[in-house]
Amino acid sequence: MPNSKLNNEYQKEFFKRLLENAGLKNKKQAFSEIFGHPIWWIIEEKNTGLDFKEPDLTHCKTKCKGVKNFNFCRKDILTLLAAVRKTHQSKTLICPGGMRGVCFPLAIGEKLYGYFFFCHLNEELTSQIMGIFSAFLGTILREVQKELELSKLYETIRPRAIALSTIHTIHRLISSLLKLEELLPRIARLSLQVLRANKCSILLLDENKKHLVSKTTVDLSGKMAYSKKMRLGKGVENRVAKTGNAVLHNTILAVPLVHEEIMGVITVQSRIDKKPFDVFDKEILSTLAEQAVIAIKNAELYEEQERVTIGSIKSLATILDTKSPYTYTHSSGFIKLVLALAEELGLSEEETRHLHYAALLPDAGKIWVPEEILKKSSRLTGKEYKLVKEHPIKGVEIIKHIEVLKPVIPIILHHHERYDGTGYPNGLKKDKIPLGARIMALADAFEAMIYKRPYRSAMSIKSAVAEIKRHSGKQFDPKVVSAFLRLIKSKQLKGLFKNK
Amino acid sequence: MNVNRLLSSIACFKVVKFFDDNPRIIDTSKGVATFTGLTVATTKNILEQLTKAKILTEHRTPSTVGYSYTADRAMLKKLAAILKRKAKEFSS
C-alpha cells in the first residue's frame, strides 16, 4: 500500500478518535463557560491544498442575524485557516458579523491534523488563556496519538500472539504422545483444524525408501479411508516425496516431512469453506510438518527402545531357560492373560509395560534351585520347599542391576504371595501385595493348572476356573478374580491356552 | 444444552466469538482466558460446556487439553446467526 494512502488512513483514524475523545468532550463544557458559549468547529486537514472541509455555518446563521451574505464569513474563515496552516500558530479574526473568532492548529510537531476554530467569543482572549487552551489541545492530541499507536500495535501483535499460542498448544498435544498409532491420527486431526480442511493423510516412506505407505487418513466427510502403499512415481504425494518440494493446488496441499532426509508427506484436501488453499496455508502446514517430524522421530525412537528392551529381556529369559530347562517356560498365553487382566483392571500404560517385563521372566530365580528339586515328581521336603521359596529373592538379585527392570522388582519378588498372607517370601497380605504381583499370581496358578506337570496331569479349563473361584480371597485377590471371570465370560481368552 | 441458552451468558458469548473470529486456533483454557480477558476458572468451565454442546472439540493428553472450533458447516452457520444477534443485544 503506498505511503500516502497509509498516511491518509492514519489521519482519518486519528481525527475520528479525536472527535470521540472523552477528555475533549468533558472539557468542552468548562471552556464553553470561560469563552462565553462560542460556536465550535473542529475541521480536518485534508492535505489537498486549500480544499478544506467546508465549515458548517448553520449556527452562525442563527446567531448573526445582521449578516446578509455568509460567503464573506466563509471566505474569512478559510483565509484564517490557510494562515494557521502556514504558520502552525493560532490566529484570531473579527468576522463580518463583528464577532471575535480564534483558530488553533491541531498539530503534533510538524504533523497537522486539523483546526480547532471557534467564533462568537464574548471577549478577546488573553495570551494566557490562549496558552492554556493550546496546552490542553496538545495534551488531548498526544493522548489520541498514543491511543491510536497502541491500537495499531494491538492489531499487529494480537493475531501473531494467537497464532503462537496455537503452535505452542499443538506442540504440547503431540510431543507427549509416544505411540505412532496415536500420534499420527492426532497430527492429522490437528492439521485439519488449523487448515479448516476436510481430509488429511500422512504417508511415510518404507525402510527401502521406495514406497510411500499411508499411515493415517482422517476424513471429516466420513468416507472410508483405506491404507495404501504406493511405489514412488507419479501423483501429488509421490512428487512431494521425490522432490522434497511442497505442492499447492486449489483443493490439495502437500508438504514433505523432512528429518535430515525426506521421511514422508502430509497432505490436506478440500477446505470446509470451499476456498482454494493459499500460500499462507502452505506456510502453516510446513510449520506443522516440522513439529510433526520431531514428534514422529521421538515416537519411533521410543518404540525402537521398547523393542530393544523386550528383546533383551527375552534373550535373558532364553538364557535362563537354557540353563534351567525345568523352569516351565511361560506360554505366550500367560503373557496375554497377564496383559488382558492389566487392561481389565485399568492399569496405566507404564504399569502395564512393567507387568509385561515381569511376565517375561518371573521365575528367573529358579536358576538357583537344584534341578533335581525342580524335576522331582513326589512331594518336596521342608528343606527343598525352603529352597524353592527363595527363588523370587534370587530372581531379584539377577535383575536388580538392569536399570529398566528396577520397577519390575516388586512384581517378581511378590508374585508368590497369597492374598491371605500365607504366601512367600514375605507373607504380605491383601493390598500390601503389589497389584502386578496379584495379577501374576492368578495367571501363574491358572497356567500351572491347565498344563501337565511331572507331579500331576493337566486340569480342564473349566476345572481350573472353578479352582480359581474357590480360592478367591484366600490365594487370590477377589478383584483380580472378578476381572479374570469377566474375561472368561466375554470369551476374550478363547484360544489363548492350548493344552501342552 | 441449548446453544441459544448457552450463549445468553456474555462470558460464553465472548469465548465463542473468540473462536468464531479465529476459527483455526487450538488453545488451552489458559490461552483462551488470556485473549478473552476472562479468568482461567470461568473459561475452563465454559470450554467444557461448549465441548458438550459440540461447538468445540477437545484434544486431550495427560498434561494438556486443547480446544478447537467446530468444523460442522450447519453448526457454524447457526452460530454465526446467533452471534450476530447476541452482539447487538449485548452492545445495547
Side-chain angles (χ1 to χ4, degrees):
Chain A
M1 195 183 278
N3 252 352
S4 57
K5 199 169 178 184
L6 273 170
N7 287 338
N8 284 344
E9 284 186 14
Y10 183 88
Q11 173 132 342
K12 261 190 175 161
E13 183 64 29
F14 185 97
F15 204 77
K16 181 172 166 262
R17 284 173 186 262
L18 177 65
L19 293 176
E20 289 165 1
N21 184 269
L24 187 63
K25 286 180 181 174
N26 290 341
K27 292 287 184 279
K28 192 179 170 189
Q29 181 64 29
F31 279 109
S32 247
E33 296 285 343
I34 296 167
F35 298 153
H37 304 282
I39 301 165
W40 300 68
W41 290 286
I42 301 176
I43 301 163
E44 190 183 346
E45 167 60 44
K46 285 299 218 187
N47 294 324
T48 50
L50 287 173
D51 182 22
F52 296 113
K53 189 173 174 176
E54 290 290 323
D56 179 2
L57 299 179
T58 314
H59 292 298
C60 280
K61 287 170 184 171
T62 312
K63 279 202 168 186
C64 294
K65 299 281 186 209
V67 175
K68 296 273 188 293
N69 189 348
F70 283 92
N71 278 333
F72 292 115
C73 287
R74 183 180 152 277
K75 194 179 166 196
D76 281 357
I77 290 166
L78 291 175
T79 306
L80 182 73
L81 290 175
V84 170
R85 187 192 220 201
K86 201 173 175 184
T87 61
H88 285 209
Q89 302 281 334
S90 50
K91 298 269 181 221
T92 59
L93 70 69
I94 309 276
C95 77
M99 306 307 294
R100 293 178 196 280
V102 64
C103 179
F104 292 90
L106 295 171
I108 300 175
E110 295 289 317
K111 180 72 191 159
L112 185 65
Y113 291 97
Y115 311 89
F116 206 106
F117 175 74
F118 41 86
C119 198
H120 294 260
L121 292 165
N122 56 358
E123 57 189 35
E124 190 177 354
L125 295 180
T126 65
S127 57
Q128 275 169 324
I129 299 281
M130 298 235 329
I132 290 168
F133 194 75
S134 279
F136 163 71
L137 281 181
T139 306
I140 296 293
L141 287 171
R142 279 187 294 278
E143 194 181 292
V144 170
Q145 185 190 47
K146 206 174 178 181
E147 190 191 296
L148 185 56
E149 278 165 18
L150 277 171
S151 172
K152 294 273 173 228
L153 196 62
Y154 177 83
E155 278 169 26
T156 308
I157 288 177
R158 187 177 160 90
R160 281 159 176 77
I162 290 171
L164 199 59
S165 194
T166 293
I167 290 170
H168 178 61
T169 305
I170 289 172
H171 169 75
R172 287 171 68 184
L173 287 171
I174 65 176
S175 62
S176 61
L177 290 176
L178 292 171
K179 285 189 171 173
L180 270 182
E181 74 240 23
E182 290 172 13
L183 174 63
L184 296 178
R186 170 68 60 90
I187 292 171
R189 278 194 293 276
L190 294 175
S191 302
L192 285 184
Q193 169 57 32
V194 174
L195 289 154
R196 304 299 276 172
N198 273 312
K199 187 176 171 185
C200 178
S201 300
I202 298 175
L203 304 96
L204 299 179
L205 283 170
D206 64 4
E207 278 169 13
N208 303 325
K209 311 280 182 207
K210 285 196 174 122
H211 293 89
L212 261 182
V213 181
S214 171
K215 291 290 189 183
T216 196
T217 297
V218 176
D219 192 337
L220 296 181
S221 66
K223 289 182 190 148
M224 282 294 290
Y226 295 97
S227 181
K228 53 184 180 181
K229 184 173 176 172
M230 300 181 286
R231 192 167 178 83
L232 283 181
K234 293 179 185 174
V236 170
E237 292 105 337
N238 285 300
R239 210 177 339 139
V240 171
K242 269 181 109 173
T243 62
N245 297 324
V247 165
L248 168 61
H249 287 156
N250 282 342
T251 57
I252 186 165
L253 169 60
V255 302
L257 296 164
V258 181
H259 181 263
E260 293 175 2
E261 51 183 6
I262 296 166
M263 55 184 273
V265 179
I266 179 165
T267 308
V268 288
Q269 294 177 54
S270 308
R271 278 175 56 154
I272 58 173
D273 58 8
K274 305 218 189 292
K275 289 181 182 170
F277 289 114
D278 56 28
V279 170
F280 183 58
D281 294 324
K282 187 174 126 188
E283 273 179 39
I284 294 172
L285 191 60
S286 297
T287 305
L288 261 170
E290 284 166 16
Q291 285 192 299
V293 159
I294 295 168
I296 291 169
K297 287 312 279 186
N298 268 352
E300 284 179 347
L301 276 168
Y302 179 79
E303 287 185 356
E304 176 64 27
Q305 188 192 37
E306 269 295 283
R307 279 195 292 275
V308 167
T309 303
I310 299 275
S312 303
I313 297 170
K314 280 183 177 171
S315 295
L316 181 60
T318 305
I319 290 167
L320 291 169
D321 273 344
T322 308
K323 176 74 182 154
S324 176
Y326 298 101
T327 43
Y328 310 120
T329 317
H330 283 290
S331 61
S332 58
F334 168 80
I335 294 169
K336 284 174 185 168
L337 172 58
V338 164
L339 296 178
L341 282 167
E343 192 183 340
E344 186 66 23
L345 288 162
L347 264 66
S348 70
E349 212 178 289
E350 198 181 4
E351 287 166 332
T352 305
R353 193 169 64 250
H354 295 155
L355 195 50
H356 188 180
Y357 296 164
L360 287 168
L361 35 60
D363 293 316
K366 282 188 181 173
I367 199 169
W368 293 102
V369 181
E371 273 184 43
E372 51 274 20
I373 296 177
L374 289 173
K375 68 180 181 182
K376 191 175 176 183
S377 53
S378 57
R379 203 179 177 78
L380 297 177
T381 65
K383 205 173 166 183
E384 285 165 345
Y385 189 51
K386 189 167 176 284
L387 278 171
V388 170
K389 283 203 299 184
E390 282 174 7
H391 86 266
I393 298 168
K394 298 294 185 194
V396 168
E397 290 295 313
I398 292 171
I399 67 166
K400 73 179 184 183
H401 303 290
I402 304 170
E403 196 62 38
V404 75
L405 292 179
K406 276 189 176 161
V408 171
I409 287 173
I411 302 173
I412 287 180
L413 183 59
H414 298 296
H415 78 283
H416 282 292
E417 301 285 2
R418 293 168 67 106
Y419 195 70
D420 58 7
T422 58
Y424 62 88
N426 297 124
L428 297 184
K429 206 173 169 181
K430 293 187 178 179
D431 293 351
K432 292 275 189 287
I433 307 167
L435 179 56
R438 284 178 261 153
I439 292 170
M440 288 266 288
L442 186 147
D444 194 19
F446 180 70
E447 195 203 33
M449 279 189 272
I450 63 169
Y451 287 133
K452 211 165 90 164
R453 289 285 181 264
Y455 45 84
R456 58 154 179 81
S457 53
M459 278 173 143
S460 69
I461 288 179
K462 196 176 172 182
S463 305
V465 171
E467 196 64 15
I468 298 280
K469 259 169 112 171
R470 207 177 1 264
H471 285 88
S472 174
K474 292 176 230 171
Q475 188 174 349
F476 309 118
D477 178 349
K479 267 202 317 284
V480 179
V481 172
S482 299
F484 172 72
L485 293 174
R486 285 196 299 271
L487 289 172
I488 293 285
K489 200 174 176 185
S490 67
K491 298 185 170 49
Q492 285 184 59
L493 302 176
K494 198 177 177 184
L496 228 49
F497 295 95
K498 287 179 174 53
N499 278 5
K500 276 187 181 170
Chain B
M1 194 190 216
N2 180 267
V3 174
N4 267 303
R5 211 187 313 168
L6 211 54
L7 285 169
S8 60
S9 130
I10 194 162
C12 197
F13 166 80
K14 274 186 176 176
V15 171
V16 178
K17 185 80 174 64
F18 171 68
F19 277 98
D20 199 69
D21 290 341
N22 304 280
R24 293 177 178 228
I25 66 153
I26 303 167
D27 216 330
T28 60
S29 48
K30 194 175 173 190
V32 175
T34 303
F35 295 118
T36 55
L38 300 166
T39 65
V40 175
T42 303
T43 308
K44 189 166 181 267
N45 188 29
I46 290 170
L47 291 169
E48 283 166 5
Q49 287 181 53
L50 293 174
T51 303
K52 279 187 190 147
K54 300 200 191 309
I55 293 172
L56 299 180
T57 303
E58 193 182 78
H59 307 270
R60 190 175 274 273
T61 70
S63 59
T64 305
V65 185
Y67 296 89
S68 59
Y69 205 32
T70 178
D72 181 86
R73 293 182 74 188
M75 177 65 94
L76 286 168
K77 205 173 170 185
K78 186 177 175 184
L79 285 167
I82 297 172
L83 286 170
K84 197 175 175 183
R85 197 172 65 243
K86 290 291 176 189
K88 280 185 188 162
E89 270 176 41
F90 288 129
S91 62
S92 62

